[in-house]
Amino acid sequence: MALLFFAVLVLLCVSASATGGADMDYGGVPLWINRLLGEPSVLNLQGRMDLSWFRVNNPQPCPQQCDCPIQWPTAIYCDHKGLADIPDHLPNRTQYLFLQYNNISSVSSSFLANNTDLRWLILDHNQLTSDQLDQIALQNQTQLCYFFASYNHLKSVPNSLPRGLTQLRLAHNRISSISPRAFQNMHNLTLLLLQGNRMQMITKGALKGLVSLNLLDLSGNLFSSIPRSLPPSVQQLYLSNNTLYQLDEDSFVGFLNLRYLRLSRCGLQSSGVHPQVFNFSSLVELDLSYNKLTNVPTVPTTLQYLYLEANEIQGFNISSFCREVGPLSYSRMKLLRLDGNKMSHQQLPHDWVFCLRMLESIYI
């Protein structure tokens, strides 16, 4: 019986990971659904339900512009409706509100005052502007865990965000600044997406309150160097598609938990990259693809995945991967990509197999 229950639990967890169609982009990171916690699907339900049947069986009416599935009574689907405003008179049971792909330009305090139990508020692909976002009203949403406002017209990270947020997705806006108070006391935030904005720097202390932050995406901004004063809790740091002229030896000092680092398409050249900048033991995956590197930088022996495709590398030394080679001293590398460079299999050092003895795939 215990084994049967475990199998059912696994199947539920697997089915809960479905996020919808390929066209549903929630800031570049999939939106995982946990059905065991009662979280609803994010799929649009238009045309999949009998509205008259629902209204007969529910005491509170569903807004005319929205869909209210009986199987998820706490979820209201108002997405893809061409709405200019958030519908009035939402049922007070509403916890999951889907408003993506509309023309909404503001979130009023009157709307939020009447709906204080929101857990998810998804406003991706709308017309939100910073001056039309009522930030005090957002702060009063004490139950809000997910706030998504990617693909809007925000120029700054909103102040007075709810302290209980665990995910904040603001990708592909026009954000150029973060207020020093924006993330104050936000100890639960684990995911912050800010890629595709116009940020050039992050002032000291701007991210001070983010003690639990795991994933930080700053790709596609205007950084010319690695931002300082980032939270040391970060395990996944994405900085691809910036123009990084130089990486000093101490660029990643303090990142004791950093495991996944993406720096593709940053214009990096070997002359501007300190040879030891990536040599820290917590790193598991490093993406340096589509740059202008001519040498393989020194990486830790614990690194498992290294992406160096589409650079200008002509060869490598074993010392880039192993400080020494022996029975207990070798690289844990599983995947190495060197395709799209200026080298061939014939240029591999004769003793590379002794260092890279755990390698499963190599592309040249």
Side-chain angles (χ1 to χ4, degrees):
M1 180 64 71
L3 289 175
L4 178 60
F5 174 78
F6 178 76
V8 172
L9 185 64
V10 170
L11 286 173
L12 283 171
C13 290
V14 170
S15 65
S17 65
T19 62
D23 62 327
M24 307 295 282
D25 182 359
Y26 295 94
V29 174
L31 178 56
W32 303 108
I33 306 302
N34 190 335
R35 301 274 173 80
L36 297 177
L37 294 179
E39 295 175 348
S41 168
V42 296
L43 287 173
N44 182 275
L45 298 181
Q46 187 174 9
R48 300 186 184 185
M49 58 181 294
D50 187 337
L51 294 178
S52 60
W53 175 84
F54 176 87
R55 288 164 183 159
V56 168
N57 288 275
N58 286 270
Q60 288 186 306
C62 180
Q64 187 175 3
Q65 310 99 312
C66 305
D67 297 322
C68 303
I70 189 64
Q71 65 268 39
W72 290 304
T74 58
I76 308 297
Y77 293 82
C78 308
D79 54 300
H80 295 81
K81 304 290 186 179
L83 302 177
D85 298 294
I86 298 176
D88 294 326
H89 309 300
L90 293 174
N92 56 22
R93 65 177 183 274
T94 306
Q95 295 182 8
Y96 302 89
L97 182 56
F98 301 97
L99 290 161
Q100 63 270 29
Y101 291 94
N102 282 295
N103 296 309
I104 298 169
S105 60
S106 64
V107 178
S108 66
S109 57
S110 60
F111 154 72
L112 292 172
N114 295 325
N115 296 274
T116 57
D117 292 329
L118 288 177
R119 293 181 56 80
W120 294 10
L121 178 57
I122 300 185
L123 284 158
D124 292 347
H125 293 277
N126 274 282
Q127 306 294 323
L128 288 178
T129 59
S130 294
D131 57 346
Q132 292 293 322
L133 191 62
D134 195 319
Q135 300 173 9
I136 300 301
L138 281 176
Q139 186 180 33
N140 294 332
Q141 293 295 317
T142 58
Q143 304 300 313
L144 196 64
C145 296
Y146 289 10
F147 180 52
F148 298 178
S150 296
Y151 300 96
N152 279 278
H153 304 304
L154 301 177
K155 293 184 178 180
S156 62
V157 173
N159 289 325
S160 305
L161 290 165
R163 293 186 179 186
L165 282 185
T166 58
Q167 292 195 14
L168 178 61
R169 307 191 183 208
L170 301 174
H172 302 286
N173 278 275
R174 302 171 183 175
I175 296 172
S176 60
S177 63
I178 301 175
S179 167
R181 302 182 305 277
F183 297 110
Q184 198 169 23
N185 300 317
M186 293 185 63
H187 302 323
N188 296 328
L189 197 71
T190 60
L191 181 145
L192 175 58
L193 303 185
L194 289 169
Q195 72 269 31
N197 280 286
R198 301 176 182 179
M199 301 178 61
Q200 299 183 46
M201 61 179 296
I202 296 177
T203 57
K204 186 176 182 180
L207 305 180
K208 184 178 180 180
L210 302 180
V211 297
S212 300
L213 193 64
N214 178 290
L215 191 157
L216 175 60
D217 196 338
L218 298 171
S219 303
N221 277 278
L222 302 174
F223 293 107
S224 59
S225 61
I226 303 297
R228 303 291 181 171
S229 303
L230 298 180
S233 62
V234 170
Q235 295 185 29
Q236 303 176 66
L237 178 61
Y238 304 156
L239 281 159
S240 298
N241 290 290
N242 284 282
T243 305
L244 304 176
Y245 297 105
Q246 188 168 350
L247 297 181
D248 299 324
E249 185 177 10
D250 62 349
S251 291
F252 302 102
V253 168
F255 287 95
L256 302 179
N257 302 300
L258 187 58
R259 295 170 60 83
Y260 304 93
L261 178 60
R262 296 181 182 175
L263 293 167
S264 64
R265 293 182 168 87
C266 287
L268 292 173
Q269 301 183 34
S270 292
S271 59
V273 176
H274 193 280
Q276 298 292 326
V277 66
F278 303 118
N279 191 20
F280 50 95
S281 61
S282 64
L283 205 59
V284 172
E285 180 177 293
L286 176 61
D287 185 357
L288 295 170
S289 60
Y290 294 91
N291 281 291
K292 300 178 182 179
L293 300 175
T294 54
N295 301 316
V296 176
T298 300
V299 296
T301 56
T302 54
L303 192 70
Q304 297 181 29
Y305 305 93
L306 178 58
Y307 301 92
L308 284 164
E309 66 267 28
N311 277 275
E312 299 175 5
I313 296 170
Q314 300 181 25
F316 67 79
N317 295 318
I318 290 300
S319 59
S320 294
F321 304 96
C322 297
R323 311 298 89 81
E324 58 184 48
V325 179
L328 299 177
S329 179
Y330 54 89
S331 171
R332 273 63 178 178
M333 189 77 65
K334 294 181 179 179
L335 172 65
L336 175 59
R337 288 199 58 174
L338 287 163
D339 45 314
N341 281 281
K342 298 180 179 180
M343 62 178 298
S344 63
H345 283 90
Q346 289 73 25
Q347 294 173 279
L348 291 174
H350 69 279
D351 55 350
W352 71 274
V353 293
F354 299 107
C355 168
L356 300 171
R357 65 183 70 172
M358 295 188 67
L359 201 64
E360 297 174 0
S361 301
I362 182 170
Y363 299 88
I364 296 181

